Amino acid sequence: MAKSDAESGGPLDVVIVYAFDSSTMTAAYAKVNKVYYLVEGKIGCFSSNSMISYVYFESSNNSCTSGKIFARERRIIIGGSTTPCTPNMASGLSEAHRMIGGGEIPAAKKGIILFFSDGLTMDKNKGSFFFDGTTDYVSKWPVYTFIVGGGGEDDLQQAAELRTIAANSPGGTFNPTPVPDEPQRSVVFSQEVLDTILGSTQDDETPPAPDSGGGIGLVTMKKPRYSKNDVALSSADSLTVLLELNAPSSSGKAGSREGLDLVVVLAINRSREGGEAKLSEVKKAMEFMIMKLTAMDRLSIVSGKTDHMYGLRQCPLRLMTPAGQADLKDLVAGGGLEGSGINLQEGLMEALGVIRGRVHKQGRAANIFFLTDDSQVYGGDALSVDPGEVAVHTFGLGRKAGHELLKNMAKKSRGGTYSFVPDDSSVCAPLSLMLGGLVTIAAQDLQLTLTSKGGKDVEAMAVAAGVDYNYKQTASVNSRGEKEITISFGTIFSGESRRVSVDFTLRPSNNSTRFNATIAEAQHSYTAQHGALQKQPPRDVLIRRTAMPTAAPGVDAARLHADEVRRQQAVSIDAATALADAGKLEEARYRLQDMLNAVEDVMLDDGGKMVAALRAELLQLIKLTASKELYDELGRPYAFAAVSSHGCQRAAAKGDLLLELPPVAVSLYVTPRMITHLAQAQKFDKDPNTPVPSADEDLQKEIAADPMAPVAGALAFYLDNAIQSLKAIQKIIAPTNN
């Protein structure tokens, strides 16, 4: 069910006018057909009473044909009515007026006419009944005019006529840029032109006001860890520093997290073998997801229709109040998602159109779930779409999905993950895992900036090699000649960490005696509910320089070695995948076994969690490379999901969520809420009648398990501020040589 008319601004009544001869299938006719389907998909989510009409002319029999349907239900109101042309039909404008507000709805609240010309209309055709009187017609409704080209007429003449037609209407405009060949794939035409005309920019419900708690301590920085206790004084030396940002495992109250704006794209090909069963699993997963969202979250769904492959909005961004949840559960259970596969590029573009058309953005995190069992079989290129700052989480359902494409779609976005869902397995579990993170977003726009200090002593500063980080990195030199590295992480979930190892190369120091050298300053920042940038107190990266550095490993060496192994695991899996793709399965297994041996050598005082997770991942992948058939069906997508997970330090489903494994073995990066969601989803899978705990109940359970979590971040912030103040006082009283 859609929003009420009062909520959405009322139903739209849109008429598409083919203002040219449609006797034959011309390029212009094909373009406007694509626009028709595009508009149908956009307005279908406004109101159940929104309607779309068409008017076209055929010179072969001097006839005018028009028709009208309810956009959402595709139910015919006026079906293909053909009449002889009569004087002054104004290229279909008079017929368009008859279509607006007719049928079952006595009067539309908003009528719009989209008028498309190929240059063979108006003044050049006076005397032809259909075209006669076009430029003199005064419209009651706004007329938006477009050029589709193909007529060979003088473009200036055509533009002048189209401007006149638009000017003779209230609020109409002429769009001077010709309609592209693939309008549904054009960001400018689909989102900037059509969405503005149709009012899609108002297509979101007003969310509750963001919390004004200040956002203090939502993300904290741990004390830097060093690969060495000290470094050489009078000669060049190097070291690695591990920096770690953490978000507390519980924010303390539901309103203090970021509000979620989630668009789910469903590109399910139900005509394929097993498609009906897969669609049923997807519906069950959607029902669970709807129940886990709250009144501060908004959800929109994009899917396809059976007769074309465009991505269509099934509903606007609905607040997940009890009424909103009930409406969307009805939509999922009913026929709203009964479409076929869609063009992946167009589905992604439509989802981004929902996000970019929002009016209410402050304190809200925009994310996309993209579920498909298909590849790019309908043309287009989903990788050509720029997601900007929107995280795109892709889910490859079964062996026929384009897993490599989906992995790269996620990687192109900031913080997006790729998850694999094998055939005949639960869709609910992997969706619940990621949703458990999205409903606990602690902060957005998280950045870490390192600035070199110590004059010219720092020769080089670079992020350590290893996993191909799915983060934006920039390196520059500031006006003071200091080196700067900025790493942009995007969002961070409660309970997540972000670790970055940085390699430093130091020149010989001019100092003659040992001293504590500040080689860099690390500072992180983020935005919280109120939207203001929160710059946190900087931390000094401090190392002792001495004439006789110790040869023994530093006290943090084991931790840095473990993180190096973690990063290297992703590199090894990538290399093994390349070998397996080339048919060298045995060599791939050897590469994975070598990595397993390196993992077994890690000695870490974390209760074995990291080793257990990395080991379980490698053992599973070794099993899945036992044969080409097994690798192609399960091993390759498993490897893609593993690399995606390591690349953004975020949990992703790899196809093993139904195995009897402890949560930490499923992923190194799972958070408490993810574990909770996963356990609930597995129960819901077995019995959909099982009561699903609310988000507030989940939160209270986390607080009971860790009562200090809600205040841990703020406490750490104020303690760190106090420590930095004391250090500043110490420098004034007893300055160092640095």
Side-chain angles (χ1 to χ4, degrees), residues 610-674:
M610 178 181 284
V611 171
L614 297 179
R615 186 173 182 275
E617 184 175 79
L618 289 168
L619 287 173
Q620 183 69 3
L621 197 48
I622 289 170
K623 290 179 184 177
L624 297 178
T625 52
S627 70
K628 185 179 185 309
E629 293 74 17
L630 190 60
Y631 169 75
D632 288 344
E633 181 180 351
L634 301 175
R636 193 167 188 260
Y638 184 101
F640 288 158
V643 172
S644 173
S645 178
H646 289 301
C648 54
Q649 299 182 61
R650 176 162 283 169
K654 296 171 287 191
D656 55 3
L657 289 182
L658 297 184
L659 298 177
E660 294 301 321
L661 295 170
V664 73
V666 171
S667 174
L668 180 62
Y669 310 107
V670 289
T671 67
R673 189 66 64 88
M674 288 179 173

Side-chain angles (χ1 to χ4, degrees), residues 306-319:
T306 55
D307 57 351
H308 57 85
M309 304 303 168
Y310 296 1
L312 305 179
R313 301 182 196 184
Q314 300 296 340
C315 61
L317 275 172
R318 293 294 313 273
L319 276 173

Side-chain angles (χ1 to χ4, degrees), residues 417-432:
T417 56
Y418 159 75
S419 293
F420 170 49
V421 185
D423 284 319
D424 303 320
S425 67
S426 167
V427 179
C428 195
L431 255 67
S432 70

Side-chain angles (χ1 to χ4, degrees), residues 240-272:
T240 301
V241 179
L242 176 63
L243 299 164
E244 182 174 343
L245 304 178
N246 293 100
S249 60
S250 174
S251 62
K253 57 178 179 175
S256 63
R257 68 168 172 91
E258 298 290 272
L260 174 64
D261 284 342
L262 178 62
V263 183
V264 179
V265 180
L266 302 176
I268 311 301
N269 192 340
R270 63 188 298 223
S271 63
R272 176 174 288 157

Side-chain angles (χ1 to χ4, degrees), residues 250 252-254 673 694-707 710:
S250 174
K253 57 178 179 175
R673 189 66 64 88
S694 69
D696 284 340
E697 290 172 318
D698 293 341
L699 180 61
Q700 293 310 313
K701 179 182 176 183
E702 289 171 14
I703 294 174
D706 186 4

Side-chain angles (χ1 to χ4, degrees), residues 369 393 395 417 430-438 493 650-652 674:
F369 275 4
H393 306 280
F395 299 82
T417 56
L431 255 67
S432 70
L433 188 75
M434 183 51 58
L435 188 68
L438 294 185
F493 304 157
R650 176 162 283 169
M674 288 179 173

